[in-house]
Amino acid sequence: MTTLRTIGLLLCLCALRSAAQISPGELSAAHAQFEGVENCTLCHSIGKSIADDQCLACHGEIKTRIAQKKGYHASIGGKHCFDCHKEHHGRQFELVRFDRKGFNHASTGFALEGKHANVECAKCHEPSKIRAKDIQSFDDKRKRKTLLGLTTDCLSCHKDQHQGQLSAQCASCHTFEQWKPASKFTHARSKFPLTGKHEQVECQRCHKNKLRDGVTVQFVRMEFASCKSCHADAHKGKFQQPCSQCHTTEGFHQIKGSKFDHSVTQFPLVGKHASVKCAECHAAVPTAKNVSGEIGFHITKYKQCANCHADAHAHQFDNRADKGKCEACHTVDGFTTVHYSAADHDRTAFPLTGSHRAIPCVKCHEQGNVRAKSTWQFHWDAKLVCTLCHADVHKGQFASQMKNGCETCHSTESWQTLAFSHDRTKFPLRGRHETLACAKCHKKSEGPDAAVQFAGTVTGCADCHADEHERQFAVDGQTKCEKCHTAKGWKALIFDHNTQSRFALTGGHAGVRCEKCHKAFAAGQRRPIRYKPMGVTCAECHQSK
């Protein structure tokens, strides 16, 4: 152990004495603080060449950029640090030595194009333009020497001529050849693409305002929400719609499509309106006013047909709930194209029912009855009763008796379909009367205007039936048949011999047949049965024994 220690000490003493002979030369001024044999291993590995990692251990800014694959050092991956940066050549030796004029700046990631190609390196590589934070931490001396820390942003070297109005990517509009004109700029990328006539307008015609500095031209926050921002209103405020609804940028007099699209207005042109000439509604001069008395394009009176069209029905519908709106019946396809239906008629004061639905309109709605003789009659001041159209075949027989007129008995289904009940008359039909045909009692009177007699028809039995008893039961000239007979039949008797005659049937008389006592007698051509006068004594029927 003692021997080994002694050998080691001797070696150290030898190294100190021969330091000047071991070192290949002085270090550069940048590495001067590492001078001395005891510091060799900071850069050198015994028995090996200098490793890049040892250089990058101190030069972290280079290591970072290589790792990020950015900058010049990242583009020369096949070289070692000592291939370009030599040491031990003395204090005044420059570690960074390269041909500035022949240097390919594109290898840094920023090719020098256009006017950049003629700019001296020092114009860009100066401490004030360093933007990388790791390089900004260098001392001033080192900042003056380094070429690192710059960015490729235009505004890191150039003044923002637009004062922050536009993108910081100047190259999106400008080239490296010259600032003006901005040949890469296209208005299509802006909020207001230029089309039509706008493409021919010089920039300063619109961009004439200056910012607060009085120099910088305004490019953003321009007023262009509507055409009125730049153009005078040729229609003098008569339209509220955007100009673009009718006009294009191709020219003010070029209307969208082959003609103006009226569908974008509050009055789309459909049907017959589509063929009307514009000037008929939009008169150009006061002497050619339209029917509503207006000129120009802005028409205020158009919501009602009457604003332009005369009332063809002479105001017959003015009192209707909708005030006679034409569109309730007519369409813009033509005046005679009517969409009024039977269902619509049912909502009037005269709903169409039964046979009325099959009658052509002109049968009731005739021409020539109202002031405007060209129109049909649709309104009647008189009450809408049957006799307004139909003749009273009963010649007024029921005028004072039927509260609902003809409809009391008849319906619109058919004249022969009756709702009449004889029970509501003074002569309800009972028994045999129910099966009799009406005409058996209700006869047609004589004359050309004759009517079947209904009102005032007599109701006494003798008025229709012959007196089979030859007035035997007449009282004051009137025979009350109903005292004995019913409508069920002539032989359906309600006669009671005990209460209605002078001779009550008792005892053996109760079983005697009627004809045993009541015999026929001659009365002209007829032979009626004798009922009155009859004897009531025994001798008048029985012989004395």
Side-chain angles (χ1 to χ4, degrees):
M1 288 294 292
T2 304
T3 304
L4 290 174
R5 289 177 179 173
T6 303
I7 293 171
L9 179 61
L10 290 172
L11 288 172
C12 290
L13 290 172
C14 291
L16 290 172
R17 290 177 182 176
S18 60
Q21 295 177 356
I22 294 174
S23 174
E26 283 187 322
L27 296 176
S28 64
H31 293 153
Q33 69 268 32
F34 304 122
E35 193 72 68
V37 175
E38 66 274 11
N39 293 323
C40 295
T41 55
L42 293 176
C43 299
H44 300 276
S45 295
I46 297 175
K48 296 180 180 180
S49 63
I50 299 175
D52 293 342
D53 289 342
Q54 289 174 298
C55 297
L56 296 177
C58 289
H59 296 281
E61 69 278 6
I62 303 297
K63 183 178 181 179
T64 298
R65 284 158 177 75
I66 292 174
Q68 294 175 347
K69 297 182 180 181
K70 292 181 179 180
Y72 173 72
H73 292 93
S75 69
I76 56 171
K79 289 188 176 183
H80 296 290
C81 300
F82 60 81
D83 289 339
C84 298
H85 306 289
K86 307 296 183 178
E87 258 296 358
H88 294 289
H89 291 289
R91 292 283 191 269
Q92 303 305 316
F93 185 78
E94 293 184 7
L95 288 177
V96 180
R97 298 168 61 88
F98 63 96
D99 182 4
R100 293 176 180 267
K101 292 184 178 180
F103 178 69
N104 181 14
H105 211 281
S107 61
T108 67
F110 185 76
L112 298 181
E113 302 173 300
K115 289 194 174 182
H116 284 159
N118 299 320
V119 178
E120 295 181 4
C121 302
K123 291 284 288 185
C124 296
H125 294 282
E126 58 172 312
S128 64
K129 294 178 180 177
I130 293 175
R131 296 290 182 268
K133 291 184 178 180
D134 58 343
I135 309 302
Q136 285 181 336
S137 64
F138 289 1
D139 57 38
D140 291 342
K141 182 179 179 181
R142 193 176 176 189
K143 284 180 183 178
R144 286 193 295 271
K145 289 185 177 183
T146 186
L147 297 175
L148 302 177
L150 302 189
T151 68
T152 58
D153 297 335
C154 300
L155 298 183
S156 65
C157 291
H158 300 279
K159 179 182 177 181
D160 183 359
Q161 297 293 334
H162 302 306
Q163 297 293 311
Q165 296 181 84
L166 305 176
S167 168
Q169 302 300 320
C170 306
S172 62
C173 298
H174 301 277
T175 67
F176 300 120
E177 300 298 332
Q178 56 187 4
W179 175 254
K180 293 181 181 180
S183 56
K184 290 185 180 180
F185 173 74
T186 170
H187 231 281
R189 298 201 307 265
S190 72
K191 294 180 180 180
F192 189 78
L194 298 181
T195 59
K197 294 286 186 180
H198 288 158
E199 293 183 288
Q200 303 170 17
V201 178
E202 295 181 356
C203 304
Q204 59 268 28
R205 287 287 302 276
C206 298
H207 298 284
K208 53 189 176 184
N209 294 334
K210 300 291 192 298
L211 299 184
R212 290 183 178 180
D213 60 6
V215 177
T216 306
V217 176
Q218 181 181 359
F219 289 103
V220 298
R221 291 184 289 277
M222 301 289 292
E223 290 293 334
F224 61 87
S226 69
C227 301
K228 295 178 182 178
S229 300
C230 296
H231 302 279
D233 184 358
H235 299 304
K236 309 299 181 184
K238 291 183 178 180
F239 291 110
Q240 299 302 316
Q241 298 91 340
C243 305
S244 56
Q245 283 196 2
C246 305
H247 303 279
T248 70
T249 57
E250 299 300 325
F252 184 76
H253 296 289
Q254 292 189 26
I255 305 302
K256 281 186 175 179
S258 59
K259 60 187 299 185
F260 173 68
D261 182 9
H262 224 279
S263 63
V264 300
T265 71
Q266 295 183 24
F267 191 80
L269 297 181
V270 293
K272 291 288 186 179
H273 288 153
S275 60
V276 177
K277 293 182 179 180
C278 304
E280 290 189 38
C281 297
H282 302 288
V285 294
T287 55
K289 289 182 178 180
N290 62 22
V291 291
S292 65
E294 297 179 285
I295 62 173
F297 290 102
H298 186 64
I299 305 298
T300 60
K301 300 175 183 178
Y302 64 89
K303 295 182 179 180
Q304 298 179 5
C305 301
N307 292 141
C308 296
H309 302 279
D311 188 345
H313 300 307
H315 303 282
Q316 293 184 75
F317 301 112
D318 285 358
N319 294 326
R320 201 167 62 181
D322 62 4
K323 304 300 180 184
K325 291 174 63 175
C326 304
E327 55 268 32
C329 304
H330 301 279
T331 71
V332 293
D333 293 321
F335 185 75
T336 57
T337 303
V338 180
H339 60 76
Y340 190 79
S341 65
D344 294 317
H345 210 294
D346 289 344
R347 291 191 289 271
T348 68
F350 191 82
L352 296 179
T353 58
S355 297
H356 285 159
R357 285 186 176 270
I359 298 174
C361 305
V362 294
K363 291 288 288 184
C364 299
H365 301 286
E366 300 177 331
Q367 289 184 321
N369 297 331
V370 293
R371 186 173 66 249
K373 297 187 181 300
S374 62
T375 182
W376 296 342
Q377 182 176 6
F378 294 100
H379 176 75
W380 283 264
D381 292 322
K383 185 178 179 180
L384 298 178
V385 295
C386 300
T387 53
L388 194 63
C389 295
H390 302 280
D392 182 4
V393 299
H394 300 309
K395 303 301 180 182
Q397 295 180 69
F398 304 110
S400 62
Q401 301 177 34
M402 303 302 182
K403 293 182 179 179
N404 296 325
C406 305
E407 294 175 283
T408 303
C409 301
H410 302 277
S411 72
T412 57
E413 296 300 325
S414 170
W415 174 254
Q416 303 298 334
T417 302
L418 295 177
F420 172 74
S421 173
H422 228 285
D423 289 344
R424 298 200 302 268
T425 69
K426 295 178 181 180
F427 191 78
L429 298 181
R430 301 289 185 267
R432 295 289 183 86
H433 289 153
E434 290 183 287
T435 60
L436 288 178
C438 303
K440 292 287 288 185
C441 298
H442 300 287
K443 309 290 184 181
K444 194 171 184 180
S445 59
E446 300 295 332
D449 296 327
V452 176
Q453 186 68 33
F454 290 102
T457 301
V458 292
T459 59
C461 299
D463 294 323
C464 293
H465 302 281
D467 188 348
E468 295 292 330
H469 302 304
E470 291 294 330
R471 300 178 63 81
Q472 295 178 69
F473 299 103
V475 177
D476 297 329
Q478 296 291 325
T479 299
K480 300 291 185 180
C481 305
E482 61 271 21
K483 285 185 176 183
C484 302
H485 301 279
T486 69
K488 292 182 179 180
W490 175 252
K491 294 182 179 181
L493 297 177
I494 57 173
F495 174 72
D496 186 352
H497 216 291
N498 294 336
T499 60
Q500 293 179 261
S501 71
R502 295 182 301 157
F503 188 80
L505 298 178
T506 59
H509 289 152
V512 177
R513 293 167 61 89
C514 301
E515 60 268 20
K516 294 291 283 184
C517 298
H518 299 285
K519 308 291 185 179
F521 69 97
Q525 298 295 322
R526 300 179 67 248
R527 289 184 61 79
I529 304 298
R530 171 73 67 181
Y531 291 102
K532 292 179 68 174
M534 293 287 290
V536 295
T537 64
C538 297
E540 290 179 293
C541 291
H542 302 281
Q543 293 182 357
S544 175
K545 293 184 179 182

